[in-house]
Amino acid sequence: MRGQVRVNGALRPKSHRVAAGDVLEIVLDSRSETTLEHEQAELALAYEDEYLLVVDKPSGLVVHPGAGRAEGTLAHALVGLAAGGEDPDRPGIVHRLDRETSGLLVVARTEEAYRGLAGIVRRRALERGYVALVRGRPRSRTGRIEAPIGRDRVDPTRRSLDTEAPRAAVTHFALTEPLGDYALLDVRLETGRTHQIRVHLAAIELPIVGDRTYGVQGLGLTRQFLHAGSLAFPHPVTGERIEAVSPLPKDLAAALEVARGR
């Protein structure tokens, strides 16, 4: 609603207190209602109730419209199923996955659920577990990467540690299986910055296999070996603990077998 509310004909800061006799003018622009049109798509659901959905997103599907993508997104497929939030082009969406990253994300179906989920994300109570195959071997079986991330100073399409607008970012990892030149990792997000896992692992010389931007090629992969395999959180309305899991997609499972030498 920025710029859409005036007091006595003038814009006021959010902290402004209205007084008796003040005239409030609210201007609703064309974005006050969603411009999305429903597009048919097969959606795999790991959990569903009247308040929320846990979607198992396939690789290649963009979560919401943005620069260069005006249609064919998950948000389009969720029209009529998702709701909540101030952005009409992202109804119900409180977090996202990169286009080529597969796996689980939770979507609100009501405004109440959206507010609750947004609070869960802010409190870092949304437990997000990823499976990543990297080239190299971690120096320890577990680790914590704490390094601020932002848009790269030179290339704004990339995220980087070398940035003029750093935002706190924390990633945890554990070695699941050593595989010679490769390693299978269990990765947990404490924060959720764009490209966070990919940038953080590359920064400690553990680039994700198949990642064309930050990683290395190999094992016949055409996308990064990064899968959001688990999700857990307190239900935003009932408080019940929700847990969901997603198995490795076929392309990643096949690449893992190659890495194992089978």
Side-chain angles (χ1 to χ4, degrees), residues 70-108:
E71 57 186 20
T73 72
L74 176 63
H76 287 86
L78 289 172
V79 170
L81 296 175
E86 297 180 357
D87 190 334
D89 286 342
R90 305 182 187 185
I93 295 174
V94 295
H95 68 119
R96 60 183 293 277
L97 296 175
D98 296 339
R99 175 177 179 172
E100 300 303 332
T101 299
S102 52
L104 303 172
L105 73 162
V106 60
V107 179

Side-chain angles (χ1 to χ4, degrees), residues 151-235:
R151 290 190 183 275
D152 185 81
R153 293 179 189 273
V154 177
D155 183 352
T157 67
R158 293 169 57 99
R159 295 304 192 272
S160 172
L161 307 187
D162 183 17
T163 177
E164 295 179 353
R167 300 184 69 189
V170 180
T171 304
H172 301 264
F173 69 86
L175 176 63
T176 300
E177 184 178 356
L179 296 164
D181 294 335
Y182 303 99
L184 190 66
L185 304 181
D186 171 48
V187 183
R188 304 282 165 167
L189 282 179
E190 187 172 317
T191 57
R193 307 306 180 199
T194 300
H195 300 176
Q196 177 176 318
I197 293 174
R198 299 160 65 192
V199 172
H200 270 176
L201 291 178
I204 61 169
E205 300 181 348
L206 293 174
I208 294 177
V209 184
D211 187 339
R212 292 185 292 271
T213 303
Y214 308 102
V216 294
Q217 299 306 296
L219 304 177
L221 286 164
T222 58
R223 55 107 166 186
Q224 64 250 20
F225 195 120
L226 185 61
H227 179 66
S230 66
L231 197 63
F233 55 93
H235 194 287

Side-chain angles (χ1 to χ4, degrees), residues 25-153:
E25 179 185 2
I26 301 175
V27 179
L28 299 180
D29 65 12
S30 60
R31 293 182 59 81
S32 62
E33 296 183 0
T34 182
T35 58
L36 299 178
E37 294 186 2
H38 176 71
E39 296 180 13
Q40 190 65 35
E42 290 189 14
L43 293 178
L45 300 179
Y47 178 83
E48 174 183 13
D49 66 23
E50 62 184 301
Y51 300 105
L52 57 86
L53 305 169
V54 176
V55 180
D56 197 343
K57 185 188 85 69
S59 172
L61 181 63
V62 175
V63 172
H64 54 69
R69 174 66 66 168
E71 57 186 20
T73 72
L74 176 63
H76 287 86
L78 289 172
V79 170
L81 296 175
E86 297 180 357
D87 190 334
D89 286 342
R90 305 182 187 185
I93 295 174
V94 295
H95 68 119
R96 60 183 293 277
L97 296 175
D98 296 339
R99 175 177 179 172
E100 300 303 332
T101 299
S102 52
L104 303 172
L105 73 162
V106 60
V107 179
R109 304 188 71 175
T110 69
E111 185 64 40
E112 178 186 13
Y114 180 90
R115 291 195 300 268
L117 287 171
I120 288 168
V121 172
R122 285 194 301 271
R123 297 194 305 272
R124 301 183 180 181
L126 183 66
E127 301 171 27
R128 289 167 280 184
Y130 293 75
V131 181
L133 186 68
V134 300
R135 189 179 69 183
R137 182 74 65 86
R139 295 185 178 91
S140 59
R141 295 196 66 87
T142 63
R144 181 177 187 269
I145 308 167
E146 183 172 1
I149 292 174
R151 290 190 183 275
D152 185 81
R153 293 179 189 273

